[in-house]
Each structure stands twice: as C-alpha cells, then as structure tokens.
Amino acid sequence: MHPPSPAAAAMDFSQNSLFGYMEDLQELTIIERPVRRSLKTPEEIERLTVDEDLSDIERAVYLLSAGQDIQGTSVVANLPFLMRQNPAETLRRVLPKVREALHVAGVEMQLTAAVSFLTILQDESVSVHTYAHSFLQVILLHLEHRDAGVSNAWLETLLSVIEVLPKDTLRHEILNPLVSKAQLSQTVQSRLVSCKILGKLTNKFDALAIKREILPLVKSLCQDVEYEVRSCMCRQLENIAQGIGTELTKSVVLPELIELSRDEGSSVRLAAFETLVNLLDIFDTDDRSQTILPVVKSFCEKSFKADESILISLSFHLGKLCHGLYGIFTPDQHLRFLEFYKKLCTLGLQQENGHNENQIPPQILEQEKKYISVRKNCAYNFPAMIVFVDPKNFHMELYSTFFCLCHDPEVPVRYTIAICFYEVSKLLNSGVYLIHKELITLLQDESLEVLDALIDHLPEILELMSTGGETSVQENKLSSLPDLVPALTAAEQRAAASLKWRTHEKLLQKYACLPQVISSDQIYYRFLQRMFTIMMTNNVLPVQKAASRTLCIFLRYNRKQEQRHEVIQKLIEQLGQGKSYWNRLRFLDTCEFIIEIFSKSFFCKYFFLPAIELTHDPVANVRMKLCYLLPKVKSTLKIPADKHLLQQLEMCVRKLLCQEKDKDVLAIVKRTVLELDRMEMSMDAFQKKFYEKDLLDQEKEREELLLLEMEQLEKEKQQNDGRPMSDKTFEKKQFVLGRDSKTPTSLPKNIAISVPGSSATPSTSKEIKKSKLIRSQSFNNQAFHAKYGNLDKCTTSKSSTAAYTPSVSGLSKTSMISLTDDSFRTRNTNSAPSSFSSNTSLPSTSRGTGNSVDPKSSGSKDTQPRKATLKSRKSNP
C-alpha cells in the first residue's frame, strides 16, 4: 500500500477542516436551542408581574404568598432593609410569611435567611428582647437541617445571637433544651451542635453556674461513643477553661484532656494535643513538667508512625509548644526536641525526585504535599526556635537548618522563610552577618512570590545588615557583602520582566532606602539610570510613579554636584521637553515629588520655569495635569524674593484663560484660578500661621547646603593633602560622612551653618574648615531612618524662611540648558558662603510657540518634536 501523495494529503486536510467547521456550527445550533426554549411565555411573564402600586410591605407579602421560589428568596434577602424602613409592619405581616416559607424552602432560601437574620441583629433594627421573641425560635428550629451547610449557617447565626442575649433568655431558651439535645438518643448532628453551643455559653455564665449546669454535659460529650463528637467537644474545652478559671480547669478540664490524648481516634488525640498547647499558659510549672510534658513527648514520638496530618499540626504548634515548655526541659530533652524540629525541616527531601510526576501514584503525591506543609510550618516557627536555642547558638545549632529552608525546592517553604527573614534578622542582632548569603539567595530566587514576601521588610533588613544590629557603628557592614548590589539589580529586572507589576512597584518603593546602606556612587551608576529607563519605557503608571519618587530620593541624597546636575538636566530635557506627551506627564509627577522631598528653594531654582512652560504644551492632558499642580507650584514661592516668579506664573495662567480652546482644560483652569486667588503667600520672614511648615522647609534647605559644604570640604582636604584619595579611602570617608545619606531632619544645636539673612561670613582658614568637616561628620553619623520616615509626612505646600537667588543666562533656542553652578545659593546674595561660586546658571525652559491648540489626532504617546525656547531672567537683587 503506497502512502498518499502530498496533494491528496492536502485535500484530505481541507476536507477534514470543512467537516470540522460544519460540526462546530451544529454544536452552536444545539447550544442555541435551549436558550430559545428558556424564554418566558406570556402566561409565565403575567404570573411573574407584580403591581407597581404596591408598597414594599405589600409586595413582600404577595411574593411570599403567591410568588415563585426565586422571588421569595429575594424578599428574604431584602428583609434587613424592610426592618430598617418599617420594623413594626415587617414583624407583623412579613415575618410570619417568612416562617411559613422556610418550612418548605430550599437550600438557597435557607442560607439567605440565616444571613439576613444575622444582619438584622448587627444592624440593631430592633431591641434584643424583640429580636429574641421574634427570631430566636426560627433560628433554633432550623439548627438540625438535613443539609450540613444550612445547619452550619444557622449555627453561626445562633452563636452571634448568644453574645447579646441576657442570661435568663439563654438559660430558658437555649441551655435547658440543650440538656435533652446532648443525649446519646439524639442524632450525631444534634450532639455536634450542642458541643459548639456549650463552648459559647461558658462566657455568659459565672463559674458556679458553669460547674453546676454545663460541666456535666461537657463530661458526657467528652465520653460520647462517636469520635466526631469527642473531637468537637475537645476543641471547645479551651473556651470552657477560660470561663471556669484556673482551679476548675486543673481539676476538671485537664484530666479530660489527658484521657482524650490517649483516645483511639487520631482526630481526637490531635484535638487534645492542640488544646493542651493552647492552654499551656493556664497551667503552672508542676502541671507542665509532671502532666503535660509526658503527653507531649509521647505524642511526638508516635507522630512519625501516625497519619501525616498529625505531623502538619505538630509542626505548626511546635514553636508555641517549645516556648510554653521552655525552662522545664532537661538538657537531654532540649536537644531531643531540637533534633525533632530539624528532622521535620527536611522531611520528604531525602526521597529521590528524578521520576516523572505523571508516573507517581496519587497517594505518594498526596504524601509529598503534606510533607511540604510540614516544612512550611517549620519555616513559620523558625523565629521561635531561635529563641528556644538562644541567638548566640544560632550558627552552631540552626544555621544549617536555615540554609536548607532558604534553599528548599518548594516555593511555599521559601515564601514562608522570606516572610520570617526580618524577624530572624532582629533576633540575631549582632550576628545578623551570618545570614548575608541567605539574603542574596532569596533576592535571587526564581519565584517572584518569594521576592514579594522578602521586600515587605527590605529597608529594615538592609538597615540591620548595614549596622550589624548595633545602634552606633564605625563602619558599614555591607561593605563585606559585594553581591548585594548585583542581587538588587537582578531582582528589579526579574520583576520588570514579569507581569506582576505590583511586585515591581513595591520593589521600587523599597529601593528608596538604598541611600541609607550603599554609597551614592553605587546608586548613581547602578540604579539611577535604571530609574530613568523605567520612567521612559515602562507602560504601567504606578510603576513609573514609584520609579520617579525613588529617583527623587536618590537625587536628594546624592553627594556629588556634577551628578546631581546631570540628573536634573536629564529630567528637564528627556522628560519635561520630551517628544512624548507621556514623558511630559511623568515630568509633572516628578515635580510633585520634588516639591514634597526637597526644599522650596531647590524647586524654584531648577524646576519652576520648566514646569510652568508646559502651559504651552500642545497636548490637552499635559496642560490639564499642570493646572492641577499649579497650587502646589505657587506654594513654593516666597514674597518678595520670588515676586518675579509669581509674575511669570500669573502671566502663564492669564494666557491659559485667554487662549485655551479645550473646554475641559478651560474649566479646570477657571477652578484653579479661584484656588490660586484664595491661597495665602508665604513671606520671607517667619509667620506664625506657617511656622511648622517653614521650619521643616528650612531644615531641608540646611541639609542641602550641608551636602554642598561637605563636598567642598572634602575636595579642599584632598588638595591640601596633595595626593589623590584611593577608592578604599574614599569609601571609608563616605561612611564617616554618613554613607552619603545620613543627614538628619533634626539638626544638632551646636552646628553652625550659614543661614540666609545673617551677616557673618565664614572664614576660609584651615582650622575653621577642619572644624566644619568634623561638625559635618558628627552631623551625618546620626540615624537616617528618622529622616527617611519623615519624607512621607512632608506636606506638599512647605514654606521656607530661606531661599536661593536664581539667575538665568540668556540662551539661544538651540542651546542646551546650562547646569554648571557649583552650589545652591541663597536668595540673599550677601549671605552666601564665600566658599561657593556666586555666578549660578540655572535652567529655564520656555516653549516659545505659545500654541494651546490640542490636536485631537495626537492620541499616541509620541508627538512631533517641539522647539524649546529658553527665556532669560535676571536674578532678584
């Protein structure tokens, strides 16, 4: 037999495809037929139609009497609303109909009724007495519904009702009938319900009443012939023990727990073990050592031979158990429990995993899942085990176990240990350097879930790593961890390449702590450009904003003036004057962060003019966003020093009012003008109204000046020494000066810094400069975290008592923005430090076209290049 020719094969394929299409069409017609049949006939529509003139109460009564089940369920769901609207009529007319309907109702209506009854209780639509009289009997009647879900729903409602009912009602309506419901002659479901009700009632009666009326029922149910009932009652013993006090717990509850711990049913033994662990705080040392410890030892020894579910529970409670029994272990028992924990941490890892999962029997797969749960619980309890062995013994006793948990092949285990990593770091304190490598391992983990769990406390972890757990240190411990920066950059790139943008956003937000732990050079060369790239190319707005804010913080604590100017120039040219309107929108977001993080003088000096020039942007969305930002922009001005800037702002706003053609933008402009008119301007001198804001802004300005002074002093010191500074020496000096970022928000009083308005001129002698360097070093050795925490508290309308004098050189349209100033200069030129250049060239951008027409066709992010004209402005004398 010869194989078919290619042409024949192609023909067959096309025929098969045709038949396939026909079959699909037939399936569609089959699917469509029931839809046509499901349409209501005129008679059915007539039956479902309700008179619109009926009131809510009358409509509810009608639907419960003559409507269909779905309509009755709707009325029951609407019962809380009817109770709030007209409680008397609802109780008199609607509730009796609801009772009748529930007798024959299906599962859906029963569940809806249970929820509605609970909502009415929580809304307090009626008094407790009225609620008990009207609703309690309905709840009790359906507790033993044949459907387990319905029964549990009514039980949850009853347990909530018990919390508010008075004692007399509880005794007559619930406790007395419970005596008969808990007898062996009743169904198992009835006895299970009785167990849970008894556990709730103990909090409502005194110890004497519990001993006389409740404890006999408890003992009876603990000896029930069904293991389900014994297990359920055993789990309620914790609530009962809290209600009867310590003495009765020792004499009544503890013997029952010990007996149940030897029960033939594994679920009963497990319930007894968990209840004993939860009640450890109630018992004294003698009870723990003589009664509870032997039971726990026996339970642990038999656990490996029992069901894996017991191991799961044991591993989850092991930390609490070791903490509760701490101090009564002998050295041998202490070592035995520690070895038991280590064994659980590697449970299931000894098996060969080279086989194909499809060939593994289902029972083996289920067993491996339980082993994963055990190791996950061990990771959860790891901080408690550090306390158990003492942090000083961590390296010898638990480091190898910690290493295994961090390298576990299963993601849930690594995820849990990543969540606990911060707690472990705090417990180790000065020994935190022992887990440096594990931090790198988790940062490089292939699972983003693990990374997401780790970065929740990444700033705190890195701070502990950098200080070695000490409050004051002489060197940065992270200098001995060269893999940290590559691991951080790789983690960000891995998050960026995934679809989990929330993890990426959170990671970028946490990177704002990096000035605290690594040098500004490392941040500049390894992270700053990456932030720019994200802002320019990422398509997720929250991620772009997170990158923008983090970049502003990096800029805020950068130590080199040239690098700062380069970043500012990129922000203005690539974002503020970018071809893409999307980039110009991000520039306005960045301006908002600049106003929040930096001093007002900094914003006015570098970003004020580039920001307001966007009033001429051809895209309406950009102009609209700028209008929303203008009140914050105006809040950075101080009168009279910034009078010329205020005039330019007013001119731009007037142009918008006169030339704006987009109706949406014009409406926002009009609202913004009213808001700007209502704003009170900040003055050069301190005002009582803005005192706190002015003081905070002055502190920011002082910190910015101090960064410049420290850089200048370092340069002069190098020149005086006559030799270049090596990289190692530079790193050491960087740390002495606060690892580039440790500029506090609260300045020491003994630091003398030139303040605008002061007539004193700092001396240039070597002795004074040396003393200034020493003061700067002591200034920067203060803690960074207080300052970093205050960034989020900064308001967006900070006031300042000191400002800079901006000056702009006249530039041609094609020239680049000049950012060559050597220092921040105060607006009062007479008070500027002599060590800084007085000739400052500041960026000033202007879009000379003044075209406010918005081309509606420019829907994409990229628009045509726009020419930038740079206006010149003179410095304020």
Side-chain angles (χ1 to χ4, degrees):
M1 187 174 182
H2 299 285
S5 63
M11 185 185 303
D12 291 341
F13 176 77
S14 61
Q15 290 176 353
N16 291 335
S17 300
L18 180 60
F19 289 134
Y21 293 145
M22 293 176 64
E23 291 176 358
D24 293 341
L25 290 173
Q26 290 176 355
E27 290 179 2
L28 288 174
T29 58
I30 293 173
I31 294 173
E32 190 177 0
R33 284 171 190 163
V35 175
R36 290 177 180 172
R37 291 197 190 110
S38 65
L39 296 176
K40 301 299 181 183
T41 63
E43 293 78 11
E44 291 173 328
I45 294 175
E46 182 66 26
R47 281 202 308 271
L48 293 172
T49 303
V50 181
D51 187 1
E52 294 181 358
D53 296 332
L54 294 177
S55 66
D56 292 338
I57 299 294
E58 292 172 343
R59 185 184 299 110
V61 173
Y62 173 78
L63 292 176
L64 287 171
S65 303
Q68 296 188 2
D69 289 343
I70 189 171
Q71 293 175 316
T73 303
S74 176
V75 172
V76 173
N78 201 39
L79 197 59
F81 171 76
L82 295 176
M83 286 294 298
R84 289 191 294 268
Q85 189 181 44
N86 194 344
E89 284 297 304
T90 303
L91 292 176
R92 187 176 68 85
R93 300 183 60 188
V94 180
L95 190 59
K97 294 292 183 180
V98 172
R99 290 177 189 155
E100 294 176 6
L102 287 176
H103 284 297
V104 293
V107 172
E108 186 176 357
M109 184 181 288
Q110 290 277 353
L111 293 175
T112 305
V115 174
S116 294
F117 282 23
L118 180 59
T119 304
I120 293 170
L121 174 70
Q122 295 169 345
D123 290 345
E124 299 180 356
S125 304
V126 293
S127 65
V128 174
H129 176 74
T130 303
Y131 187 91
H133 180 266
S134 303
F135 295 93
L136 185 58
Q137 290 302 320
V138 182
I139 297 172
L140 294 172
L141 183 64
H142 296 90
L143 275 178
E144 299 179 26
H145 194 276
R146 59 183 178 276
D147 185 274
V150 172
S151 177
N152 289 331
W154 284 114
L155 178 61
E156 291 300 321
T157 301
L158 177 63
L159 295 179
S160 299
V161 172
I162 288 175
E163 290 287 345
V164 299
L165 291 180
K167 290 183 180 179
D168 293 339
T169 304
L170 289 174
R171 179 175 279 106
H172 292 98
E173 300 292 340
I174 298 178
L175 184 57
N176 291 342
L178 206 62
V179 176
S180 61
K181 295 290 185 182
Q183 300 301 319
L184 285 174
S185 58
Q186 298 293 324
T187 63
V188 173
Q189 183 178 352
S190 175
R191 302 203 298 275
L192 289 173
V193 169
S194 300
C195 293
K196 295 178 181 179
I197 294 176
L198 285 173
K200 197 71 174 180
L201 286 175
T202 51
N203 295 324
K204 302 296 293 183
F205 294 97
D206 54 28
L208 184 61
I210 294 173
K211 182 179 180 181
R212 186 177 64 252
E213 301 180 39
I214 295 179
L215 285 183
L217 292 175
V218 171
K219 290 182 179 180
S220 173
L221 291 170
C222 284
Q223 306 297 326
D224 197 277
V225 295
E226 297 291 339
Y227 74 92
E228 295 175 350
V229 179
R230 298 197 302 273
S231 176
C232 183
M233 192 66 253
C234 183
R235 293 190 181 278
Q236 298 301 320
L237 290 178
E238 180 181 354
N239 295 329
I240 294 171
Q242 294 172 355
I244 62 178
T246 305
E247 295 301 324
L248 280 176
T249 299
K250 290 181 180 180
S251 60
V252 179
V253 175
L254 184 57
E256 293 292 337
L257 283 173
I258 298 302
E259 185 175 352
L260 290 170
S261 66
R262 305 188 185 100
D263 196 276
E264 59 184 9
S266 60
S267 62
V268 180
R269 297 196 302 271
L270 181 60
F273 169 76
E274 293 177 357
T275 305
L276 277 173
V277 173
N278 293 331
L279 292 176
L280 280 175
D281 295 337
I282 295 180
F283 303 118
D284 55 25
T285 305
D286 293 337
D287 291 327
R288 295 181 193 177
S289 59
Q290 298 175 10
T291 308
I292 298 177
L293 183 57
V295 174
V296 171
K297 285 174 59 181
S298 174
F299 189 82
C300 293
E301 290 170 357
K302 298 176 181 178
S303 59
F304 281 100
K305 302 176 183 178
D307 184 24
E308 287 81 6
S309 58
I310 292 181
L311 283 177
I312 294 174
S313 176
L314 179 58
S315 61
F316 181 77
H317 291 89
L318 194 59
K320 190 173 184 179
L321 178 65
C322 291
H323 176 73
L325 296 178
Y326 187 79
I328 66 172
F329 285 125
T330 64
D332 181 61
Q333 291 171 340
H334 188 281
L335 181 61
R336 188 173 300 177
F337 268 88
L338 180 59
E339 292 300 323
F340 178 74
Y341 172 76
K342 292 180 180 180
K343 188 175 181 180
L344 291 178
C345 288
T346 58
L347 188 65
L349 295 180
Q350 299 84 359
Q351 300 177 2
E352 294 293 333
N353 293 323
H355 42 257
N356 187 0
E357 278 194 13
N358 296 328
Q359 301 174 355
I360 304 176
Q363 60 270 22
I364 300 297
L365 284 175
E366 188 65 27
Q367 185 183 54
E368 288 184 357
K369 289 180 181 179
K370 292 180 178 179
Y371 287 162
I372 293 171
S373 298
V374 170
R375 300 201 302 275
K376 177 183 175 182
N377 291 338
C378 289
Y380 167 77
N381 282 302
F382 194 84
M385 298 308 296
I386 293 179
V387 177
F388 183 66
V389 302
D390 195 304
K392 297 178 181 178
N393 301 323
F394 169 79
H395 187 264
M396 184 182 301
E397 301 289 352
L398 283 177
Y399 175 75
S400 59
T401 303
F402 186 69
F403 178 87
C404 291
L405 292 173
C406 291
H407 291 81
D408 195 277
E410 299 298 331
V411 171
V413 181
R414 303 197 305 274
Y415 172 84
T416 306
I417 201 65
I419 292 177
C420 299
F421 199 94
Y422 174 53
E423 293 296 327
V424 173
S425 303
K426 285 197 301 183
L427 290 170
L428 292 181
N429 200 13
S430 59
V432 71
Y433 67 92
L434 294 170
I435 58 174
H436 278 180
K437 293 181 179 179
E438 283 63 42
L439 173 63
I440 303 300
T441 298
L442 294 177
L443 282 173
Q444 296 174 338
D445 196 279
E446 61 184 8
S447 171
L448 280 180
E449 294 179 10
V450 177
L451 178 63
D452 188 84
L454 182 67
I455 61 179
D456 281 334
H457 292 285
L458 186 63
E460 295 86 352
I461 293 171
L462 291 179
E463 183 179 357
L464 288 170
M465 293 283 185
S466 63
T467 61
E470 302 171 9
T471 55
S472 60
V473 292
Q474 299 301 320
E475 62 176 346
N476 194 309
K477 307 293 183 182
L478 287 181
S479 59
S480 61
L481 193 61
D483 296 334
L484 176 63
V485 172
L488 290 172
T489 55
E492 187 277 322
Q493 291 171 1
R494 199 164 60 255
S498 72
L499 297 177
K500 297 182 178 180
W501 63 265
R502 288 182 177 85
T503 298
H504 193 200
E505 177 195 14
K506 183 162 62 172
L507 185 63
L508 294 175
Q509 291 170 348
K510 300 299 182 180
Y511 277 5
C513 74
L514 291 182
Q516 177 188 2
V517 293
I518 61 178
S519 68
S520 66
D521 278 345
Q522 288 176 307
I523 292 175
Y524 180 79
Y525 291 112
R526 301 301 296 271
F527 295 97
L528 257 173
Q529 184 56 45
R530 179 60 183 165
M531 297 299 117
F532 264 114
T533 303
I534 294 171
M535 292 171 63
M536 300 280 290
T537 61
N538 197 282
N539 293 324
V540 182
L541 180 58
V543 172
Q544 287 182 314
K545 287 189 174 182
S548 175
R549 193 180 193 282
T550 301
L551 183 143
C552 292
I553 293 176
F554 289 166
L555 177 63
R556 173 70 174 79
Y557 301 110
N558 187 280
R559 292 288 299 278
K560 293 189 176 179
Q561 219 173 126
E562 294 179 0
Q563 294 177 357
R564 286 197 300 270
H565 288 170
E566 182 181 348
V567 174
I568 293 171
Q569 185 171 349
K570 281 187 176 182
L571 284 172
I572 295 173
E573 293 180 353
Q574 297 183 20
L575 293 182
Q577 299 173 353
K579 296 179 181 179
S580 168
Y581 86 94
W582 192 257
N583 288 342
R584 301 196 294 276
L585 288 174
R586 300 294 72 77
F587 175 74
L588 293 176
D589 289 332
T590 305
C591 287
E592 192 169 358
F593 294 135
I594 292 288
I595 294 172
E596 173 192 351
I597 296 170
F598 288 81
S599 67
K600 298 179 179 182
S601 301
F602 183 92
F603 176 81
C604 290
K605 182 176 182 181
Y606 292 110
F607 292 95
F608 185 91
L609 290 178
I612 65 173
E613 286 298 330
L614 290 177
T615 54
H616 308 300
D617 196 277
V619 179
N621 284 357
V622 178
R623 301 195 302 275
M624 188 181 299
K625 188 174 183 66
L626 176 63
C627 290
Y628 286 121
L629 186 64
L630 284 179
K632 293 182 180 180
V633 171
K634 185 179 179 181
S635 69
T636 62
L637 300 178
K638 295 174 66 68
I639 299 300
D642 293 325
K643 186 176 181 180
H644 59 292
L645 295 179
L646 179 61
Q647 291 173 352
Q648 295 199 37
L649 176 63
E650 292 173 348
M651 185 183 303
C652 291
V653 174
R654 281 197 297 269
K655 285 183 179 180
L656 278 175
L657 278 173
C658 297
Q659 302 176 6
E660 183 58 55
K661 296 181 180 180
D662 188 284
K663 61 179 183 180
D664 296 326
V665 178
L666 186 59
I668 296 173
V669 170
K670 292 179 180 179
R671 290 201 301 267
T672 303
V673 168
L674 295 177
E675 186 177 353
L676 291 174
D677 289 340
R678 288 194 298 266
M679 287 182 61
E680 295 187 24
M681 295 295 298
S682 180
M683 309 298 290
D684 280 339
F686 271 89
Q687 294 175 277
K688 187 175 182 181
K689 185 184 299 184
F690 305 112
Y691 180 79
E692 292 185 1
K693 296 179 180 179
D694 289 348
L695 191 62
L696 181 59
D697 187 70
Q698 187 182 42
E699 295 298 333
K700 291 181 181 180
E701 191 170 339
R702 285 184 176 182
E703 292 170 18
E704 293 162 2
L705 286 170
L706 185 59
L707 286 173
L708 296 170
E709 287 193 19
M710 287 189 294
E711 181 183 6
Q712 185 72 17
L713 292 173
E714 286 179 7
K715 289 180 180 178
E716 293 182 5
K717 191 175 190 311
Q718 294 178 35
Q719 294 174 0
N720 293 336
D721 292 343
R723 57 185 177 83
M725 187 177 295
S726 64
D727 292 340
K728 187 173 182 181
T729 308
F730 179 76
E731 287 293 331
K732 185 175 180 181
K733 182 178 288 292
Q734 290 282 58
F735 176 76
V736 172
L737 291 174
R739 183 57 67 178
D740 311 327
S741 65
K742 303 200 174 184
T743 309
T745 52
S746 57
L747 297 177
K749 295 181 180 179
N750 59 351
I751 296 180
I753 297 179
S754 59
V755 180
S758 63
S759 59
T761 303
S763 173
T764 57
S765 63
K766 289 186 177 181
E767 291 78 3
I768 293 181
K769 290 182 178 179
K770 184 176 181 181
S771 65
K772 287 176 70 177
L773 178 60
I774 294 173
R775 291 198 305 270
S776 300
Q777 293 170 352
S778 64
F779 177 88
N780 280 271
N781 280 332
Q782 298 190 23
F784 170 82
H785 63 271
K787 167 196 61 182
Y788 174 66
N790 282 338
L791 289 179
D792 294 331
K793 299 177 183 178
C794 298
T795 61
T796 56
S797 58
K798 308 291 185 294
S799 301
S800 172
T801 58
Y804 300 112
T805 302
S807 69
V808 180
S809 303
L811 298 176
S812 65
K813 291 183 179 181
T814 57
S815 63
M816 303 294 288
I817 295 175
S818 175
L819 292 168
T820 57
D821 56 327
D822 294 329
S823 66
F824 297 116
R825 287 174 57 247
T826 60
R827 290 180 181 139
N828 188 350
T829 55
N830 294 329
S831 64
S834 60
S835 58
F836 301 116
S837 171
S838 59
N839 297 325
T840 307
S841 181
L842 299 178
S844 172
T845 60
S846 173
R847 309 190 193 287
T849 60
N851 181 20
S852 63
V853 179
D854 178 21
K856 299 299 181 181
S857 59
S858 59
S860 63
K861 295 181 183 179
D862 294 330
T863 63
Q864 59 182 357
R866 297 178 298 116
K867 295 181 180 180
T869 56
L870 303 175
K871 295 182 180 180
S872 62
R873 61 186 175 96
K874 298 179 181 180
S875 59
N876 191 36

